[in-house]
């Protein structure tokens, strides 16, 4: 299946002919890149398609007649932005020149897409499919006209700190119509090495999932150059028809050179360089300096593969005998469920001590198993998987991390995750590997110190923390995705029609959406927050913490605060659409004020602030500390008043029960007093009547 | 002991003195005693039948009873203080009706005043409750139902 996929990928261009395409003139409506390069969506160039991009006719408006084509990244996999930055303007005779790149409003899809404008190779692809047979290049000038320019191109890339990782005959082009010069094709539209056939990859890289090979090192490019050279010299793939698993097994047992070259007729003068390029030991593999020396006539002793340490007696696994730990590890990795019991039973350790007589390795294996079984709450399957993954690392430290069907180099984790997310595949194995700290085990198995390992260890610890904190926005799998993939554009569904590759593009993109978004959609979904958290250079932990609060008011304030910080730090000066969008989401904040009068005041003021387009101003207004304090104090006073009134009412209602008794007593007293009063007054009046 | 027998002796002497004075008074003011005894009969009845807690019914009846009696009593005192005049007053149906009517009005007053006072007090507290509730409603309108929570949250 993988082989089939890679074959399809490697066969980019489909059944296109190798014949040199003429430089066609563009026609119809054009899409413009950076106001200079016209790309014609109606003029396809299927011969130049790559697995993740579609080719179209392009034209330089300032230099008409110059043969160009554009690759539009239409696939779901993330292109290599960093590589594009380095490739642009890099001129090398062995490299298809990247003239310009950038996002364009791609009208056929109604979305923003990434476009790469290359100088068009006039001679077409060297091979359209890996299974093709072409005329062997027997030119005496092969080294000078073909191999040297390609090596120089790799040297140039090396100087820029990038690797090509797409060197295969189906991605080599004849630069001229006469077919005298070959250039390396595009390497930036897909993740590194994802489209490489296993034959073109070193053993360790070939073991990986295609997505998990990672950018690797220049040595991987020189290996691929060696493989391509063999194919050009013999006119075909020497192992065409051999399955991937079998090919890796052959390379492991016999070495790459023996597998690819030993039965072939290659010019004698090429044997030395091929041995150097196809060395399986990266320390022995030739790099640009050694190639340059060779080009300049210095002849060196042929590289001889270092013999692997072999056991005195074989270890039998699945009825096959194994004499080296590396081969055994590969067999175990490919028969995972059958290997786990064998490892845990201790047979392997015994063989390592007695058969291989390597007590140190046996101790490492024992330790790897102990580490895996330590911590009793894991499931049996989980323990077995972790134990086997650790044991495989101990047996073959050069191999990628292998964990059930997952196989990837540490620098390929990002591409795996990116591809899995883009395709909607299950990412459980990736997260399991990180959570179980298998990378730490792999780094611990290195035989030398490198600052890069320390950095990787820290990175994977962080990733583990993000996964453990997965429920929160700004963490989880999405955060890992953006942390591990510098070139990963934001995959938020909000940006389905947009292309947000840089942190500075987040607010403008949201601003464009703002005008047509309803007041229920939150601008900060999991992808957007993870993207911002991974790319924003300053500490935004307080904003993220607020954003993840369950209280809607705090969460909304966190959202506004995060967006405000972004605008404050990175601009743009005004985001009217986004302000309008966010302004419609302020209900929880408005409702967090107790005073209805204040709420009405906010509802009147917010539209005015929205019209200014400033998120920081909006934030400062709705979260004014003085206003909040006044609101709180007034509210407490109102509560006290309400409680006092309630108490008085209660007292009055309780007093009403005894009102009749009181009234009777009072009434009787009043009546008696009145009666006596009348008597006194009457007596006085009568008495005065007699006296005066 | 001597002091005790002395005070007992004084008590008996006072009682004897009192009886002698009443006898002399009865002899000297017989017309007055007759008139008062007959006219104030409702008050004596009120004193006996009143079982209220405050026991002020006799005062209420007595006050008006005496007020109605006062003109006749003063007429007896300031005109002719004779037994004939006293019996003439008692024998006058209108005078007696007025005296007993006033006593009856006093009883009526005693019966109705508590009801009136009760109704007034009821009206006052209901009004106060309405005012307080209205204030509470204004607070709820301004601050929302949260202002009415009494649990401190």
């Amino acid at each position: 299946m993988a082989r089939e996929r890679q074959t399809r990928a490697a066969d980019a261009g489909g059944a296109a002919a190798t014949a040199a395409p003429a430089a066609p003139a563009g026609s119809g409506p054009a899409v413009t890149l950076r106001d200079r390069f016209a790309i014609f969506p109606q003029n396809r160039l299927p011969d130049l398609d790559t697995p993740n991009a579609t080719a179209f006719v392009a034209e330089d408006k300032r230099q008409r007649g110059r043969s160009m084509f554009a690759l539009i990244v239409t696939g779901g996999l993330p292109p290599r932005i960093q590589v594009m930055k380095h490739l642009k303007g890099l001129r090398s005779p062995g490299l298809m020149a990247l003239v310009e790149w950038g996002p364009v409003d791609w009208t056929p899809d109604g979305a923003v897409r990434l476009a790469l404008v290359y100088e068009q190779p006039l001679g077409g692809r060297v091979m359209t499919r890996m299974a093709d047979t072409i005329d062997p290049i027997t030119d005496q000038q092969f080294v000078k006209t073909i191999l040297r320019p390609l090596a120089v191109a790799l040297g140039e890339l090396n100087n820029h700190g990038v690797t090509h990782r797409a060197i295969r005959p189906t991605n080599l082009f004849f630069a001229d119509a006469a077919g005298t010069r070959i250039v390396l094709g595009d390497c930036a539209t897909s993740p590194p090495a994802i489209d490489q056939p296993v034959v073109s990859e070193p053993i360790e890289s070939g073991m990986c999932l295609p997505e998990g090979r990672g950018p690797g090192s220049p040595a991987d490019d020189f290996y691929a150059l060696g493989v391509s050279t063999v194919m050009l010299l013999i006119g075909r793939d020497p192992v065409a028809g051999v399955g991937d698993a079998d090919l890796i097994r052959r390379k492991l047992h016999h070495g790459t050179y023996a597998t690819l070259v030993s039965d072939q007729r290659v010019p004698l003068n090429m044997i030395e360089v091929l041995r150097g390029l196809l060395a399986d030991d990266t320390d022995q593999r030739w790099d640009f300096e050694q190639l340059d020396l060779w080009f300049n006539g210095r002849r060196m002793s042929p590289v001889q593969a270092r013999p692997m340490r072999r056991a005195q007696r074989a270890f039998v696994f699945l009825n096959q005998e194994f004499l080296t730990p590396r081969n055994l590890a590969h067999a175990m990795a490919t028969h995972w469920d059958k290997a786990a019991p064998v490892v845990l039973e201790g047979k392997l350790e015994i063989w390592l001590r007695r058969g291989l007589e390597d007590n140190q390795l046996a101790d490492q294996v024992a330790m790897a198993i102990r580490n895996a079984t330590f911590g009793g709450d894991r499931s049996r399957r989980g323990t077995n998987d972790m134990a086997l993954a650790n044991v495989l690392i101990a047996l073959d430290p050069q191999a990628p991390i292998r964990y059930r069907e997952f196989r990837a180099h540490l620098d390929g984790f990002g591409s795996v995750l990116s591809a899995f997310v883009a395709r909607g595949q299950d990412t459980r194995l990736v997260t399991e590997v990180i959570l179980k700290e298998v990378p730490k085990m792999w780094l611990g198995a290195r035989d030398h110190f490198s600052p890069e390992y320390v950095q990787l260890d820290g990175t994977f610890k962080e990733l583990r923390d993000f996964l453990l904190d997965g429920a929160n926005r700004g963490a989880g799998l999405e955060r890992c995705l953006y942390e591990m993939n510098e070139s990963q554009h934001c995959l938020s569904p909000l940006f389905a029609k947009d292309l947000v590759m840089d942190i500075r593009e987040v607010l403008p993109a949201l601003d464009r959406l703002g005008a047509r978004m309803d007041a229920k959609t939150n601008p900060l979904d999991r992808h957007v927050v993870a993207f911002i958290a991974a790319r924003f250079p300053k500490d935004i932990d307080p904003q993220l913490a607020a954003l993840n609060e369950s209280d809607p008011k705090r969460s909304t304030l966190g959202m506004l605060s995060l967006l405000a910080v972004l605008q404050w730090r990175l601009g743009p000066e005004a985001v009217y659409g986004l302000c309008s969008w966010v302004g419609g989401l302020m209900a929880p904040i408005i409702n967090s004020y107790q005073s209805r009068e204040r709420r009405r005041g906010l509802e009147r003021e917010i539209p005015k602030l929205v019209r200014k387009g400033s998120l920081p101003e909006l934030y400062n207004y709705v979260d004014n500390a003085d206003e909040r304090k006044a609101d709180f104090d007034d509210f407490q006073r109102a509560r006290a008043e309400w409680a006092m009134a309630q108490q008085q009412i209660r007292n009055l209602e309780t007093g009403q029960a005894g009102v009749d008794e009181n009234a009777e007593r009072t009434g009787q007293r009043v009546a008696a007093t009145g009666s006596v009063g009348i008597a006194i007054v009457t007596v006085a009046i009568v008495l005065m009547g007699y006296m005066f | 002991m001597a002091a005790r027998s002395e005070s007992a002796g004084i008590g008996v002497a006072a009682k004897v003195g009192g009886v002698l004075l009443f006898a002399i008074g009865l002899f000297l003011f017989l017309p007055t005693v007759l008139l008062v005894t007959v006219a104030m009969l409702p008050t004596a009845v009120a004193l006996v039948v009143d079982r209220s807690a405050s026991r002020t019914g006799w005062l209420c009846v007595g006050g008006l009873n005496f007020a109605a009696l006062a003109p006749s009593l003063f007429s007896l005192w300031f005109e002719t203080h004779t037994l004939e005049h006293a019996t003439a007053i008692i024998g006058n149906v209108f005078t007696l009706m007025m005296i007993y009517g006033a006593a009856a009005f006093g009883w009526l007053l005693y019966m109705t005043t508590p009801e009136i006072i009760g109704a007034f007090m009821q009206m006052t507290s209901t009004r106060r409750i309405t005012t307080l509730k209205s204030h509470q409603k204004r607070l709820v309108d301004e601050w929302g139902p949260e202002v009415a929570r009494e649990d401190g949250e």
Side-chain angles (χ1 to χ4, degrees):
Chain A
M1 177 86 176
R3 171 77 174 180
E4 197 181 313
R5 200 203 70 76
Q6 284 169 47
T7 307
R8 274 204 309 273
D11 296 346
T18 51
S27 62
V31 171
T32 308
L33 171 64
R34 303 208 193 279
D35 296 327
R36 176 172 174 182
F37 300 95
I39 303 167
F40 300 92
Q42 291 179 0
N43 302 138
R44 290 261 287 107
L45 290 172
D47 301 352
L48 297 171
D49 282 352
T50 71
N52 201 38
T54 314
F56 296 87
V57 172
E59 190 177 84
D60 185 352
K61 290 179 180 175
R62 295 184 201 164
Q63 211 176 338
R64 291 187 193 279
R66 189 179 172 192
S67 290
M68 287 185 165
F69 77 103
L71 286 171
I72 305 295
V73 181
T74 47
L77 300 174
R80 300 170 71 190
I81 305 293
Q82 294 305 319
V83 172
M84 292 177 203
K85 288 176 184 170
H86 288 286
L87 281 183
K88 186 190 163 187
L90 183 65
R91 294 287 176 268
S92 176
L95 200 60
M96 194 164 76
L98 175 64
V99 183
E100 188 56 275
W101 68 276
V104 290
D105 289 322
W106 191 241
T107 44
D109 295 349
V112 178
R113 298 276 182 250
L114 201 65
L116 295 85
V117 174
Y118 282 102
E119 277 185 3
Q120 188 171 345
L122 300 176
R125 266 179 220 280
V126 172
M127 280 171 78
T128 54
R129 295 184 304 143
M130 289 300 288
D132 279 356
T133 302
I134 57 170
D135 294 333
I137 300 176
T138 51
D139 187 354
Q140 294 297 315
Q141 300 295 309
F142 177 83
V143 171
K144 189 178 173 185
T145 59
I146 293 174
L147 186 57
R148 189 167 188 163
L150 295 179
V152 169
L154 290 184
E156 289 279 356
L157 289 175
N158 192 8
N159 289 340
H160 282 79
V162 293
T163 52
H164 193 281
R165 305 296 276 122
I167 303 169
R168 56 183 183 271
T170 53
N171 195 34
L172 296 177
F173 295 83
F174 289 113
D176 53 350
T180 58
R181 193 164 63 84
I182 288 179
V183 291
L184 299 171
D186 164 75
C187 65
T189 54
S190 303
I194 195 168
D195 303 317
Q196 287 286 82
V198 170
V199 66
S200 297
E201 287 294 290
I203 296 172
E204 299 80 14
S205 192
M207 289 175 179
C208 293
L209 295 170
E211 301 86 359
R213 291 166 180 163
S217 66
D220 298 326
D221 279 342
F222 283 104
Y223 180 96
L225 178 64
V227 174
S228 296
T229 304
V230 172
M231 294 182 188
L232 293 176
L233 288 172
I234 66 174
R236 61 185 172 81
D237 177 0
V239 288
V242 179
D244 286 348
D246 196 23
L247 183 56
I248 292 172
R249 196 181 56 75
R250 285 193 201 181
K251 282 185 179 181
L252 275 170
H253 281 84
H254 310 298
T256 301
Y257 181 81
T259 303
L260 300 183
V261 184
S262 57
D263 295 338
Q264 309 300 330
R265 297 181 66 181
V266 293
L268 281 176
N269 65 325
M270 295 301 291
I271 287 176
E272 185 186 349
V273 68
L274 288 178
R275 274 189 180 279
L277 290 173
L278 296 178
D280 290 320
D281 185 346
T282 47
D283 293 337
Q284 287 185 307
R285 194 175 302 154
W286 280 17
D287 58 11
F288 178 71
E289 281 181 21
Q290 284 157 307
L291 269 176
D292 196 41
L293 288 173
W294 185 80
F295 290 141
N296 289 323
R298 182 170 167 184
R299 294 293 173 259
M300 289 163 278
S301 55
V303 170
Q304 297 294 331
R306 287 177 193 153
M308 278 189 284
R309 189 171 180 183
R310 289 175 177 272
Q312 298 295 323
R313 61 180 175 83
F315 184 89
V316 179
F317 176 64
L318 296 177
N319 298 323
Q320 281 186 309
E321 293 190 338
F322 294 93
L323 291 171
T324 63
R326 191 172 202 204
N327 293 351
L328 176 60
H330 179 66
M332 286 181 159
T334 47
H335 299 90
W336 190 270
D337 287 324
K338 289 175 182 164
V342 176
V343 168
L344 290 170
E345 280 167 14
K347 287 180 189 169
L348 177 65
E349 191 186 336
I350 295 168
W351 175 71
L352 290 172
R353 289 190 197 284
R354 297 181 186 167
L356 195 67
E357 295 175 352
D358 189 339
N359 283 332
Q360 192 183 347
L361 183 55
D363 289 343
Q364 285 175 2
V365 167
M367 177 70 80
I369 295 170
R370 261 203 305 279
N371 284 346
T373 49
F374 183 75
D377 60 342
R378 288 202 188 100
S379 66
R380 183 182 175 77
R381 178 185 162 276
T383 307
N384 287 358
D385 289 345
M386 194 174 166
L388 186 53
N390 288 351
V391 166
L392 295 184
I393 289 169
L395 291 177
D396 185 3
Q398 302 311 315
I401 285 177
R402 292 171 285 194
Y403 185 89
R404 300 197 70 83
E405 293 80 30
F406 175 84
R407 284 116 216 262
H409 284 307
L410 281 195
D411 60 355
F413 269 58
S415 298
V416 175
L417 193 55
S418 176
F420 281 16
V421 170
R423 295 179 195 139
Q425 281 178 259
D426 186 6
T427 55
R428 189 173 44 86
L429 287 179
V430 187
T431 54
E432 266 184 44
V433 169
I434 297 171
L435 286 171
K436 290 181 178 173
E437 297 185 298
V438 182
K440 189 177 180 180
M441 178 73 191
W442 191 89
L443 289 166
R446 301 305 93 195
D447 57 0
H448 64 281
F449 172 80
S450 164
E452 186 195 358
Y453 297 152
V454 178
Q455 193 187 351
L456 278 170
D457 190 37
T459 302
F460 276 92
K461 262 183 199 159
E462 274 185 8
L463 296 176
R464 187 168 181 270
D465 290 343
F466 292 141
L467 288 176
L468 289 173
D469 193 24
N472 285 330
R473 282 185 279 178
L477 195 70
E478 294 85 355
R479 178 71 179 270
C480 294
L481 173 68
Y482 298 114
E483 290 285 351
M484 287 196 274
N485 289 286
E486 211 178 337
S487 298
Q488 178 68 58
H489 62 274
C490 184
L491 292 179
S492 167
L494 293 170
F495 301 144
K497 299 283 182 189
D498 219 320
L499 189 67
V500 176
M501 295 182 293
D502 188 86
I503 182 74
R504 288 179 187 277
E505 293 165 6
V506 172
L507 286 192
L510 288 174
D511 192 36
R512 285 192 290 274
L513 286 172
R516 57 177 188 272
M517 293 311 290
D518 59 72
K520 286 179 187 165
T521 310
N522 193 318
L524 295 182
D525 62 19
R526 288 189 65 89
H527 272 289
V528 176
V529 178
F531 184 82
I532 293 169
R535 303 282 187 266
F536 195 61
K538 305 280 181 186
D539 176 30
I540 51 168
D541 287 348
Q543 283 80 8
L544 291 179
L547 185 69
N548 288 310
E549 290 271 359
S550 55
D551 177 13
K553 167 218 153 192
R554 289 179 188 277
S555 175
T556 310
L557 264 179
M559 178 262 289
L560 178 57
S561 164
L562 183 55
L563 291 171
V565 166
L566 272 185
Q567 192 184 6
W568 177 46
R569 293 278 184 189
L570 306 173
E573 204 168 313
V575 280
Y576 301 107
L578 181 57
C579 260
S580 163
W581 183 4
V582 171
L585 299 171
M586 290 295 101
I589 298 179
I590 293 172
N591 292 340
S592 70
Y593 283 95
Q594 295 295 340
S595 166
R596 269 44 180 180
E597 184 53 42
R598 279 197 177 83
R599 288 184 188 182
R600 285 189 286 275
L602 281 169
E603 280 163 2
R604 282 193 301 272
E605 271 313 302
I606 284 175
K608 292 178 192 167
L609 289 168
V610 161
R611 284 194 284 276
K612 288 186 180 175
S614 168
L615 290 166
E617 275 192 51
L618 184 60
Y619 174 75
N620 288 334
Y621 183 77
V622 298
D623 197 36
N624 184 304
D626 294 338
E627 276 293 306
R628 283 217 175 273
K629 188 173 182 311
D631 185 68
F632 179 79
D633 293 344
D634 292 348
F635 180 61
Q636 293 307 320
R637 269 195 290 279
R639 283 186 63 188
E641 275 183 41
W642 192 92
M644 196 185 293
Q646 185 67 11
Q647 186 62 42
Q648 286 178 9
I649 290 169
R650 210 172 283 148
N651 291 342
L652 285 168
E653 284 172 348
T654 312
Q656 268 184 354
V659 76
D660 292 342
E661 195 182 329
N662 286 338
E664 188 180 356
R665 194 170 295 159
T666 311
Q668 287 168 349
R669 281 188 193 140
V670 166
T673 309
S675 184
V676 170
I678 290 170
I680 293 167
V681 169
T682 307
V683 168
I685 291 169
V686 174
L687 192 60
M688 282 193 290
Y690 278 100
M691 291 179 72
F692 306 104
Chain B
M1 188 72 179
R4 199 171 168 184
S5 62
E6 191 179 340
S7 69
I10 291 167
V12 173
K15 280 178 185 174
V16 172
V19 170
L20 280 175
L21 275 175
F22 180 72
I24 294 164
L26 192 64
F27 178 73
L28 288 176
F29 303 106
L30 187 61
T32 299
V33 170
L34 180 66
L35 180 62
V36 169
T37 303
V38 173
M40 295 298 283
L41 207 58
T43 303
V45 172
L47 185 64
V48 173
V49 301
D50 186 13
R51 289 284 176 269
S52 68
S54 61
R55 297 188 67 81
T56 51
W58 71 274
L59 269 176
C60 199
V61 174
L64 289 183
N65 196 183
F66 188 77
L69 172 64
S72 303
L73 190 63
F74 284 11
S75 154
L76 186 67
W77 286 349
F78 288 101
E79 290 170 14
T80 51
H81 191 253
T82 61
L83 206 57
E84 288 78 19
H85 192 180
T87 50
I89 294 169
I90 293 166
N92 188 335
V93 176
F94 294 105
T95 306
L96 207 60
M97 197 185 288
M98 195 185 73
I99 293 168
Y100 284 1
F105 183 72
W107 187 254
L108 192 68
L109 203 66
Y110 177 71
M111 296 299 286
T112 55
T113 308
E115 294 295 323
I116 294 165
I117 295 289
F120 179 76
M121 287 173 72
Q122 184 85 29
M123 198 176 68
T124 310
S125 68
T126 305
R127 195 171 171 184
R128 176 76 181 139
I129 287 171
T130 308
T131 309
L132 288 169
K133 283 192 172 168
S134 155
H135 180 56
Q136 281 186 319
K137 187 175 178 305
R138 275 202 306 279
L139 288 173
V140 171
D141 288 346
E142 173 55 30
W143 297 97
E146 299 85 356
V147 81
R149 283 191 207 145
E150 293 186 86
D151 53 3
E153 288 300 316

